[in-house]
PDB file of all heavy atoms in Angstrom:
ATOM      1  N   CYS A  40     -14.558   1.880 -18.214  1.00 97.00           N
ATOM      2  CA  CYS A  40     -14.182   0.463 -18.203  1.00 97.00           C
ATOM      3  C   CYS A  40     -13.201   0.169 -17.085  1.00 97.00           C
ATOM      4  O   CYS A  40     -12.485   1.053 -16.607  1.00 97.00           O
ATOM      5  CB  CYS A  40     -13.588   0.048 -19.549  1.00 97.00           C
ATOM      6  SG  CYS A  40     -11.986   0.796 -19.931  1.00 97.00           S
ATOM      7  N   THR A  67      11.120 -11.683 -19.127  1.00 93.00           N
ATOM      8  CA  THR A  67      11.355 -10.365 -18.546  1.00 93.00           C
ATOM      9  C   THR A  67      10.192  -9.470 -18.925  1.00 93.00           C
ATOM     10  O   THR A  67       9.809  -9.422 -20.104  1.00 93.00           O
ATOM     11  CB  THR A  67      12.661  -9.756 -19.063  1.00 93.00           C
ATOM     12  OG1 THR A  67      13.755 -10.598 -18.690  1.00 93.00           O
ATOM     13  CG2 THR A  67      12.881  -8.372 -18.475  1.00 93.00           C
ATOM     14  N   GLN A  75       0.479   0.188 -19.724  1.00 97.00           N
ATOM     15  CA  GLN A  75       0.033   1.151 -20.728  1.00 97.00           C
ATOM     16  C   GLN A  75      -0.635   0.448 -21.904  1.00 97.00           C
ATOM     17  O   GLN A  75      -1.644   0.920 -22.451  1.00 97.00           O
ATOM     18  CB  GLN A  75       1.220   1.988 -21.222  1.00 97.00           C
ATOM     19  CG  GLN A  75       0.827   3.144 -22.135  1.00 97.00           C
ATOM     20  CD  GLN A  75      -0.085   4.151 -21.449  1.00 97.00           C
ATOM     21  OE1 GLN A  75       0.185   4.577 -20.330  1.00 97.00           O
ATOM     22  NE2 GLN A  75      -1.182   4.531 -22.112  1.00 97.00           N
ATOM     23  N   ASP A  96      -2.589 -11.317  -8.166  1.00 95.00           N
ATOM     24  CA  ASP A  96      -1.424 -12.203  -8.244  1.00 95.00           C
ATOM     25  C   ASP A  96      -1.229 -12.893  -6.902  1.00 95.00           C
ATOM     26  O   ASP A  96      -1.813 -12.496  -5.885  1.00 95.00           O
ATOM     27  CB  ASP A  96      -0.177 -11.403  -8.611  1.00 95.00           C
ATOM     28  CG  ASP A  96       0.910 -12.262  -9.242  1.00 95.00           C
ATOM     29  OD1 ASP A  96       0.690 -13.485  -9.407  1.00 95.00           O
ATOM     30  OD2 ASP A  96       1.974 -11.719  -9.579  1.00 95.00           O
ATOM     31  N   THR A 117      -4.325  -1.061  -9.118  1.00 96.00           N
ATOM     32  CA  THR A 117      -4.531  -1.576  -7.768  1.00 96.00           C
ATOM     33  C   THR A 117      -4.097  -3.039  -7.746  1.00 96.00           C
ATOM     34  O   THR A 117      -4.518  -3.820  -8.604  1.00 96.00           O
ATOM     35  CB  THR A 117      -6.007  -1.473  -7.351  1.00 96.00           C
ATOM     36  OG1 THR A 117      -6.379  -0.096  -7.290  1.00 96.00           O
ATOM     37  CG2 THR A 117      -6.230  -2.111  -5.985  1.00 96.00           C
ATOM     38  N   SER A 126       3.244 -27.131  -3.652  1.00 72.00           N
ATOM     39  CA  SER A 126       2.750 -28.472  -3.395  1.00 72.00           C
ATOM     40  C   SER A 126       3.195 -29.387  -4.526  1.00 72.00           C
ATOM     41  O   SER A 126       3.027 -29.055  -5.703  1.00 72.00           O
ATOM     42  CB  SER A 126       1.208 -28.457  -3.302  1.00 72.00           C
ATOM     43  OG  SER A 126       0.711 -29.765  -3.132  1.00 72.00           O
ATOM     44  N   VAL A 135      -6.730 -16.137  -5.251  1.00 91.00           N
ATOM     45  CA  VAL A 135      -6.733 -15.149  -6.323  1.00 91.00           C
ATOM     46  C   VAL A 135      -8.074 -15.171  -7.065  1.00 91.00           C
ATOM     47  O   VAL A 135      -8.681 -14.127  -7.328  1.00 91.00           O
ATOM     48  CB  VAL A 135      -5.564 -15.397  -7.296  1.00 91.00           C
ATOM     49  CG1 VAL A 135      -5.673 -14.481  -8.516  1.00 91.00           C
ATOM     50  CG2 VAL A 135      -4.234 -15.152  -6.588  1.00 91.00           C
ATOM     51  N   ASP A 136      -8.549 -16.373  -7.417  1.00 90.00           N
ATOM     52  CA  ASP A 136      -9.820 -16.478  -8.135  1.00 90.00           C
ATOM     53  C   ASP A 136     -10.974 -15.928  -7.292  1.00 90.00           C
ATOM     54  O   ASP A 136     -11.862 -15.232  -7.811  1.00 90.00           O
ATOM     55  CB  ASP A 136     -10.108 -17.935  -8.498  1.00 90.00           C
ATOM     56  CG  ASP A 136      -9.087 -18.495  -9.461  1.00 90.00           C
ATOM     57  OD1 ASP A 136      -8.471 -17.689 -10.184  1.00 90.00           O
ATOM     58  OD2 ASP A 136      -8.886 -19.727  -9.485  1.00 90.00           O
ATOM     59  N   ALA A 147     -19.840  -4.645 -10.398  1.00 93.00           N
ATOM     60  CA  ALA A 147     -21.072  -4.679 -11.192  1.00 93.00           C
ATOM     61  C   ALA A 147     -22.289  -4.268 -10.360  1.00 93.00           C
ATOM     62  O   ALA A 147     -23.150  -3.499 -10.823  1.00 93.00           O
ATOM     63  CB  ALA A 147     -21.273  -6.083 -11.758  1.00 93.00           C
ATOM     64  N   VAL A 155     -16.367  -4.367 -18.359  1.00 97.00           N
ATOM     65  CA  VAL A 155     -15.282  -5.010 -17.615  1.00 97.00           C
ATOM     66  C   VAL A 155     -14.493  -5.871 -18.585  1.00 97.00           C
ATOM     67  O   VAL A 155     -15.062  -6.644 -19.361  1.00 97.00           O
ATOM     68  CB  VAL A 155     -15.822  -5.895 -16.470  1.00 97.00           C
ATOM     69  CG1 VAL A 155     -14.718  -6.792 -15.922  1.00 97.00           C
ATOM     70  CG2 VAL A 155     -16.376  -5.041 -15.350  1.00 97.00           C
ATOM     71  N   VAL A 158      -8.893 -10.540 -18.047  1.00 96.00           N
ATOM     72  CA  VAL A 158      -7.731 -11.222 -18.632  1.00 96.00           C
ATOM     73  C   VAL A 158      -7.489 -12.455 -17.776  1.00 96.00           C
ATOM     74  O   VAL A 158      -6.780 -12.409 -16.769  1.00 96.00           O
ATOM     75  CB  VAL A 158      -6.486 -10.312 -18.666  1.00 96.00           C
ATOM     76  CG1 VAL A 158      -5.356 -10.996 -19.434  1.00 96.00           C
ATOM     77  CG2 VAL A 158      -6.822  -8.971 -19.310  1.00 96.00           C
ATOM     78  N   ALA A 185      -2.280 -18.876 -27.555  1.00 86.00           N
ATOM     79  CA  ALA A 185      -1.770 -20.120 -26.990  1.00 86.00           C
ATOM     80  C   ALA A 185      -0.572 -20.620 -27.798  1.00 86.00           C
ATOM     81  O   ALA A 185      -0.523 -20.487 -29.024  1.00 86.00           O
ATOM     82  CB  ALA A 185      -2.870 -21.178 -26.977  1.00 86.00           C
ATOM     83  N   ASP A 189      -4.175 -24.019 -29.392  1.00 62.00           N
ATOM     84  CA  ASP A 189      -5.448 -24.428 -28.827  1.00 62.00           C
ATOM     85  C   ASP A 189      -5.884 -23.401 -27.787  1.00 62.00           C
ATOM     86  O   ASP A 189      -5.157 -22.476 -27.438  1.00 62.00           O
ATOM     87  CB  ASP A 189      -5.299 -25.816 -28.194  1.00 62.00           C
ATOM     88  CG  ASP A 189      -6.643 -26.497 -27.986  1.00 62.00           C
ATOM     89  OD1 ASP A 189      -7.669 -25.873 -28.325  1.00 62.00           O
ATOM     90  OD2 ASP A 189      -6.650 -27.641 -27.488  1.00 62.00           O
ATOM     91  N   ALA A 198     -17.716 -18.947 -24.067  1.00 90.00           N
ATOM     92  CA  ALA A 198     -19.098 -18.954 -24.533  1.00 90.00           C
ATOM     93  C   ALA A 198     -19.936 -17.859 -23.872  1.00 90.00           C
ATOM     94  O   ALA A 198     -20.847 -17.299 -24.487  1.00 90.00           O
ATOM     95  CB  ALA A 198     -19.730 -20.321 -24.267  1.00 90.00           C
ATOM     96  N   LYS A 218      13.805 -14.586 -21.638  1.00 88.00           N
ATOM     97  CA  LYS A 218      15.175 -14.400 -21.145  1.00 88.00           C
ATOM     98  C   LYS A 218      16.130 -15.286 -21.920  1.00 88.00           C
ATOM     99  O   LYS A 218      15.772 -16.367 -22.390  1.00 88.00           O
ATOM    100  CB  LYS A 218      15.255 -14.759 -19.660  1.00 88.00           C
ATOM    101  CG  LYS A 218      14.608 -13.756 -18.731  1.00 88.00           C
ATOM    102  CD  LYS A 218      14.817 -14.178 -17.290  1.00 88.00           C
ATOM    103  CE  LYS A 218      14.190 -13.180 -16.318  1.00 88.00           C
ATOM    104  NZ  LYS A 218      14.358 -13.621 -14.908  1.00 88.00           N
ATOM    105  N   LEU A 242      32.652 -29.992  14.860  1.00 50.00           N
ATOM    106  CA  LEU A 242      32.515 -28.748  15.610  1.00 50.00           C
ATOM    107  C   LEU A 242      32.892 -28.959  17.064  1.00 50.00           C
ATOM    108  O   LEU A 242      32.727 -30.052  17.604  1.00 50.00           O
ATOM    109  CB  LEU A 242      31.075 -28.240  15.545  1.00 50.00           C
ATOM    110  CG  LEU A 242      30.569 -27.860  14.149  1.00 50.00           C
ATOM    111  CD1 LEU A 242      29.115 -27.405  14.257  1.00 50.00           C
ATOM    112  CD2 LEU A 242      31.418 -26.764  13.561  1.00 50.00           C
ATOM    113  N   GLY A 269      30.191 -21.363   3.075  1.00 39.00           N
ATOM    114  CA  GLY A 269      29.664 -22.563   3.697  1.00 39.00           C
ATOM    115  C   GLY A 269      28.173 -22.697   3.539  1.00 39.00           C
ATOM    116  O   GLY A 269      27.674 -23.781   3.333  1.00 39.00           O
ATOM    117  N   PRO A 286      18.284 -26.703   1.228  1.00 44.00           N
ATOM    118  CA  PRO A 286      18.776 -26.113   2.463  1.00 44.00           C
ATOM    119  C   PRO A 286      20.057 -26.789   2.925  1.00 44.00           C
ATOM    120  O   PRO A 286      20.280 -27.973   2.686  1.00 44.00           O
ATOM    121  CB  PRO A 286      17.624 -26.356   3.457  1.00 44.00           C
ATOM    122  CG  PRO A 286      16.934 -27.562   2.913  1.00 44.00           C
ATOM    123  CD  PRO A 286      17.056 -27.494   1.424  1.00 44.00           C
ATOM    124  N   ALA A 302      40.059 -20.664  17.467  1.00 56.00           N
ATOM    125  CA  ALA A 302      40.221 -19.860  18.678  1.00 56.00           C
ATOM    126  C   ALA A 302      41.170 -20.549  19.658  1.00 56.00           C
ATOM    127  O   ALA A 302      41.324 -21.768  19.655  1.00 56.00           O
ATOM    128  CB  ALA A 302      38.858 -19.636  19.341  1.00 56.00           C
ATOM    129  N   TRP A 324      32.902 -15.162  -6.811  1.00 64.00           N
ATOM    130  CA  TRP A 324      33.435 -15.598  -5.525  1.00 64.00           C
ATOM    131  C   TRP A 324      34.880 -15.141  -5.402  1.00 64.00           C
ATOM    132  O   TRP A 324      35.692 -15.362  -6.298  1.00 64.00           O
ATOM    133  CB  TRP A 324      33.353 -17.119  -5.402  1.00 64.00           C
ATOM    134  CG  TRP A 324      31.964 -17.599  -5.183  1.00 64.00           C
ATOM    135  CD1 TRP A 324      30.977 -17.703  -6.111  1.00 64.00           C
ATOM    136  CD2 TRP A 324      31.394 -18.030  -3.952  1.00 64.00           C
ATOM    137  NE1 TRP A 324      29.819 -18.174  -5.549  1.00 64.00           N
ATOM    138  CE2 TRP A 324      30.047 -18.397  -4.219  1.00 64.00           C
ATOM    139  CE3 TRP A 324      31.874 -18.163  -2.648  1.00 64.00           C
ATOM    140  CZ2 TRP A 324      29.195 -18.866  -3.240  1.00 64.00           C
ATOM    141  CZ3 TRP A 324      31.015 -18.639  -1.680  1.00 64.00           C
ATOM    142  CH2 TRP A 324      29.692 -18.976  -1.978  1.00 64.00           C
ATOM    143  N   ARG A 327      38.311 -14.563   0.872  1.00 61.00           N
ATOM    144  CA  ARG A 327      38.048 -13.666   1.994  1.00 61.00           C
ATOM    145  C   ARG A 327      39.309 -13.530   2.839  1.00 61.00           C
ATOM    146  O   ARG A 327      39.896 -14.541   3.241  1.00 61.00           O
ATOM    147  CB  ARG A 327      36.916 -14.209   2.859  1.00 61.00           C
ATOM    148  CG  ARG A 327      36.612 -13.317   4.054  1.00 61.00           C
ATOM    149  CD  ARG A 327      35.613 -13.966   4.982  1.00 61.00           C
ATOM    150  NE  ARG A 327      35.356 -13.111   6.120  1.00 61.00           N
ATOM    151  CZ  ARG A 327      34.603 -13.446   7.150  1.00 61.00           C
ATOM    152  NH1 ARG A 327      34.052 -14.637   7.177  1.00 61.00           N
ATOM    153  NH2 ARG A 327      34.406 -12.617   8.154  1.00 61.00           N
ATOM    154  N   MET A 338      34.001   2.772  10.030  1.00 85.00           N
ATOM    155  CA  MET A 338      33.046   3.348   9.083  1.00 85.00           C
ATOM    156  C   MET A 338      31.653   3.401   9.693  1.00 85.00           C
ATOM    157  O   MET A 338      31.159   2.405  10.217  1.00 85.00           O
ATOM    158  CB  MET A 338      33.014   2.522   7.790  1.00 85.00           C
ATOM    159  CG  MET A 338      34.213   2.728   6.911  1.00 85.00           C
ATOM    160  SD  MET A 338      33.975   1.946   5.307  1.00 85.00           S
ATOM    161  CE  MET A 338      35.555   2.379   4.551  1.00 85.00           C
ATOM    162  N   GLY A 369      20.546  -2.031  -4.068  1.00 92.00           N
ATOM    163  CA  GLY A 369      21.941  -1.717  -3.750  1.00 92.00           C
ATOM    164  C   GLY A 369      22.295  -0.294  -4.092  1.00 92.00           C
ATOM    165  O   GLY A 369      23.022   0.387  -3.348  1.00 92.00           O
ATOM    166  N   GLY A 384      36.593  10.899   3.281  1.00 80.00           N
ATOM    167  CA  GLY A 384      37.723   9.984   3.309  1.00 80.00           C
ATOM    168  C   GLY A 384      37.262   8.546   3.472  1.00 80.00           C
ATOM    169  O   GLY A 384      37.930   7.613   3.003  1.00 80.00           O
ATOM    170  N   ALA A 428      23.504  -9.190  -7.322  1.00 87.00           N
ATOM    171  CA  ALA A 428      22.928  -7.986  -7.906  1.00 87.00           C
ATOM    172  C   ALA A 428      22.882  -6.838  -6.896  1.00 87.00           C
ATOM    173  O   ALA A 428      23.134  -5.683  -7.250  1.00 87.00           O
ATOM    174  CB  ALA A 428      21.515  -8.285  -8.426  1.00 87.00           C
ATOM    175  N   VAL A 439      30.227   5.424  -9.516  1.00 86.00           N
ATOM    176  CA  VAL A 439      29.736   6.651 -10.157  1.00 86.00           C
ATOM    177  C   VAL A 439      30.115   7.869  -9.334  1.00 86.00           C
ATOM    178  O   VAL A 439      30.566   8.890  -9.871  1.00 86.00           O
ATOM    179  CB  VAL A 439      28.203   6.577 -10.348  1.00 86.00           C
ATOM    180  CG1 VAL A 439      27.642   7.936 -10.745  1.00 86.00           C
ATOM    181  CG2 VAL A 439      27.855   5.535 -11.387  1.00 86.00           C
TER     182      VAL A 439
END
Side-chain angles (χ1 to χ4, degrees):
C40 68
T67 299
Q75 188 61 48
D96 203 1
T117 296
S126 177
V135 173
D136 296 336
V155 167
V158 187
D189 198 359
K218 287 183 179 178
L242 296 179
W324 287 77
R327 179 187 179 185
M338 285 189 180
V439 169

